[in-house]
Amino acid sequence: MKYYISADGGGTKLMSVLFDENFRLRGVGRSGAVNLNFSSPDQVRGHMEESLRECLREARPQALEAVYFAGPGPVDLYQEVLGRMTKTPPVTRLFEGAACVYAGLVKDSGVAAIAGTGSSVFCIEKGECRRLVGGWGSLVGDEGSGYDIGRLGIRAAVSAYEGRGPETLILKLLYDAFGIQDMRQMVPIIYSGSYRQVISGVCRLVARAAGEQDRTAVDIFRRAGAIQARQVADAVKLEYPEENTEVVIAGSAWKGSPAMFQTFRDCLGQTCPQVQVKKSVFVPAAGGVVCQLLKSGPIDGAKREFLRTEFRQLLFGED
């Protein structure tokens, strides 16, 4: 039996997926951030070890036929850690956007609008990147990302606390989540060594507030959707000015509120009516699964449904 791994790792989490030659899911391992721009080498190594131990725990393959890795995590370190657990070939690096297109559209071409901890837009053609918009990190970019949403949520809470802005449920949720009694107590928490994780984590609180129809929270998600739409429109006009193309969303920030996707779809419908906007089928960690299956030919409806059933825990709305 031949075994394969498909992995996706970035600024918040790492997911490693083990599957066999019959495209049966054999293991999934989840852990924390692996982006060396924001986490130490020791932290990244530890998260890789944790993810791979969980992934390989039951099947325990003696060797791997192929390994795919997507995201900004260090491929060489992933290969080193994995090589201590089983015999492995050189790791194939997938463009982050390519993994999102493979997993999201179950094909090798399209546009990926990514809004996870960070944000970026990739134009992908046959697995290769034709154009990248965004991806500049939280200090100078990442507009419309989970970090951006969390940052705006904190700013809205500060404005409400100081009496300069409308009341928002986000303020109470921050108090409850961080066990504080005064907003000023957030300052040392925000400016800790893990500020990026703290601020991007607040995206979940903004999502909870949006679920309660808090106007400020919903508006933050609408803003994120509009920003993503502008970035996609710019990329599409440059790469596909006369062509129809599919755009797929990817990343956890999209799950925060339906208002983000609705605004994104509506804005793109006005600026780029030729594009087809779709929600992702699978999370990016399934990108290597689809890439491997495509080597045997196009994926028809029957194969797509088989993948949806066998890898159901990797469906975009289920992870």
Side-chain angles (χ1 to χ4, degrees):
M1 180 70 72
K2 295 178 181 178
Y3 291 91
Y4 306 80
I5 281 182
S6 175
D8 173 63
T12 300
K13 63 184 178 182
L14 167 66
M15 182 182 292
S16 301
V17 177
L18 179 70
F19 61 102
D20 65 27
E21 61 188 359
N22 297 315
F23 292 91
R24 300 287 184 181
L25 180 62
R26 303 300 298 270
V28 177
R30 298 174 175 85
S31 190
V34 293
N35 189 335
L36 285 172
N37 290 321
F38 308 103
S39 300
S40 72
D42 286 344
Q43 288 174 321
V44 170
R45 180 184 294 275
H47 291 155
M48 288 181 171
E49 290 173 347
E50 182 180 15
S51 173
L52 286 168
R53 277 198 301 268
E54 182 182 353
C55 174
L56 301 173
R57 184 177 63 241
E58 294 190 11
R60 297 183 180 277
Q62 297 300 305
L64 297 168
E65 186 71 14
V67 179
Y68 300 92
F69 188 96
V75 170
D76 53 347
L77 183 56
Y78 190 81
Q79 174 137 13
E80 176 191 329
V81 172
L82 180 57
R84 293 177 178 176
M85 299 180 183
T86 186
K87 185 178 180 181
T88 181
V91 175
T92 299
R93 177 149 217 162
L94 298 178
F95 285 105
E96 183 179 8
C100 292
V101 167
Y102 281 131
L105 297 174
V106 195
K107 55 178 61 176
D108 62 5
S109 301
V111 178
I114 303 173
T117 304
S119 68
S120 53
V121 175
F122 288 85
C123 297
I124 301 296
E125 188 71 28
K126 298 190 182 302
E128 298 296 325
C129 181
R130 284 176 51 168
R131 184 171 294 273
L132 167 61
V133 174
W136 294 103
S138 55
L139 294 181
V140 296
D142 282 351
E143 299 93 332
S145 67
Y147 178 92
D148 194 30
I149 291 167
R151 181 180 61 85
L152 291 174
I154 294 171
R155 287 178 58 182
V158 168
S159 293
Y161 168 81
E162 293 181 341
R164 299 183 292 107
E167 293 185 2
T168 173
L169 178 59
I170 299 170
L171 180 60
K172 179 183 182 302
L173 293 176
L174 282 169
Y175 280 28
D176 292 345
F178 290 96
I180 59 176
Q181 289 76 47
D182 187 277
M183 191 60 190
R184 294 282 177 186
Q185 293 176 279
M186 279 298 297
V187 174
I189 297 173
I190 293 170
Y191 292 99
S192 67
S194 56
Y195 77 94
R196 193 167 185 261
Q197 285 77 17
V198 171
I199 294 174
S200 60
V202 173
C203 179
R204 292 190 292 272
L205 304 182
V206 181
R208 284 177 56 188
E212 296 294 329
Q213 301 306 309
D214 180 272
R215 177 174 291 184
T216 297
V218 172
D219 285 347
I220 289 172
F221 276 101
R222 285 181 178 143
R223 174 188 176 277
I227 289 173
Q228 284 281 307
R230 287 197 296 272
Q231 294 186 129
V232 169
D234 289 342
V236 167
K237 288 174 182 177
L238 289 167
E239 286 297 326
Y240 311 102
E242 305 296 335
E243 302 174 41
N244 295 331
T245 190
E246 292 178 308
V247 176
V248 65
I249 62 170
S252 57
W254 290 103
K255 302 176 185 180
S257 170
M260 183 172 174
F261 179 73
Q262 291 164 3
T263 302
F264 175 76
R265 182 188 56 201
D266 293 346
C267 289
L268 267 183
Q270 295 173 9
T271 57
C272 297
Q274 77 274 22
V275 306
Q276 301 175 54
V277 180
K278 298 187 175 183
K279 293 184 177 180
S280 186
V281 178
F282 297 105
V283 297
V289 179
V290 175
C291 181
Q292 182 65 33
L293 183 56
L294 280 168
K295 292 182 178 182
S296 63
I299 297 175
D300 59 19
K303 290 180 180 178
R304 178 185 288 253
E305 285 308 306
F306 171 80
L307 289 178
R308 288 181 64 93
T309 300
E310 184 61 29
F311 294 87
R312 55 189 174 275
Q313 65 176 285
L314 301 183
L315 291 170
F316 183 68
E318 302 297 326
D319 70 311

